[in-house]
Amino acid sequence: MNNNDIFKKLRVALQLRDDQIVEILELVDFRMSKGEIGNLFRNEDHPNFMECGDQVLRNFLNGLVIHLRGTKENPKNAMDVIAKNQSEVKQNIAAKKVTNPTSDKPYEGKKPATTSASSFKKKPNFKDKKPVKKIEIVEKVAFKNGKKKS
């Protein structure tokens, strides 16, 4: 297991987004962009994959301790921070639900099937349609290549 795998597992377990990881790294004065962090989480065969070095993981873990526990002057309860983070994730998921423009209710997927007669539509009858006349683009040409037919 390499540093990238450890970093991925911590990210998933703590439900952290890239911008939260940037904030955690800034707690220990280690600056890294969201793009660079995204490259750490890519597959190894991706062209933009970046190996997570010891320094990055060490600074992330030190920042994570400050993020979860706080400092000596301002201590925090780690479980409260995790619960707050989980509630933010749930709110973001709820906000991403697509709302139907004709109503205020969120779209919940397929509509339930109804058995009323008005819900069944008649299939179009293709036999009733008149055939469309094809337009010939190329003229019919008799080719004469010098050979006589007998």
Side-chain angles (χ1 to χ4, degrees):
M1 182 179 274
N2 59 13
N3 289 345
N4 290 65
D5 295 334
I6 295 168
F7 206 177
K8 284 179 191 177
K9 290 184 183 295
L10 285 171
R11 177 185 180 208
V12 171
L14 298 172
Q15 298 179 347
L16 297 173
R17 297 184 314 268
D18 289 344
D19 56 341
Q20 291 175 324
I21 293 173
V22 169
E23 292 173 6
I24 290 171
L25 289 171
E26 286 179 357
L27 291 174
V28 289
D29 295 328
F30 188 81
R31 291 182 185 22
M32 205 169 179
S33 68
K34 286 173 63 173
E36 291 173 319
I37 290 171
N39 290 340
L40 295 173
F41 299 123
R42 295 186 186 275
N43 288 333
E44 291 181 12
D45 57 346
H46 195 277
N48 292 340
F49 172 76
M50 190 171 74
E51 182 107 15
C52 180
D54 294 336
Q55 182 182 11
V56 175
L57 188 61
R58 181 182 67 240
N59 283 313
F60 173 73
L61 292 173
N62 289 335
L64 190 62
V65 168
I66 294 171
H67 175 72
L68 293 177
R69 294 185 193 166
T71 59
K72 280 187 175 182
E73 297 82 27
N74 188 12
K76 297 179 186 176
N77 185 357
M79 294 308 292
D80 292 341
V81 175
I82 293 172
K84 179 183 171 189
N85 189 25
Q86 288 177 345
S87 66
E88 287 177 6
V89 170
K90 288 178 184 177
Q91 288 174 355
N92 288 340
I93 291 172
K96 287 182 181 180
K97 282 190 177 180
V98 179
T99 57
N100 189 352
T102 58
S103 70
D104 295 334
K105 296 178 183 177
Y107 177 72
E108 297 175 356
K110 294 182 179 180
K111 293 181 180 179
T114 57
T115 57
S116 66
S118 64
S119 66
F120 296 107
K121 294 183 179 178
K122 183 180 176 184
K123 293 183 180 179
N125 190 356
F126 294 107
K127 295 178 183 176
D128 296 340
K129 293 185 179 180
K130 295 179 182 178
V132 179
K133 185 178 180 181
K134 291 184 179 180
I135 301 172
E136 292 188 28
I137 298 173
V138 180
E139 300 174 1
K140 292 185 180 180
V141 178
F143 294 100
K144 297 180 183 177
N145 56 1
K147 295 181 181 177
K148 293 183 180 180
K149 293 184 180 180
S150 30

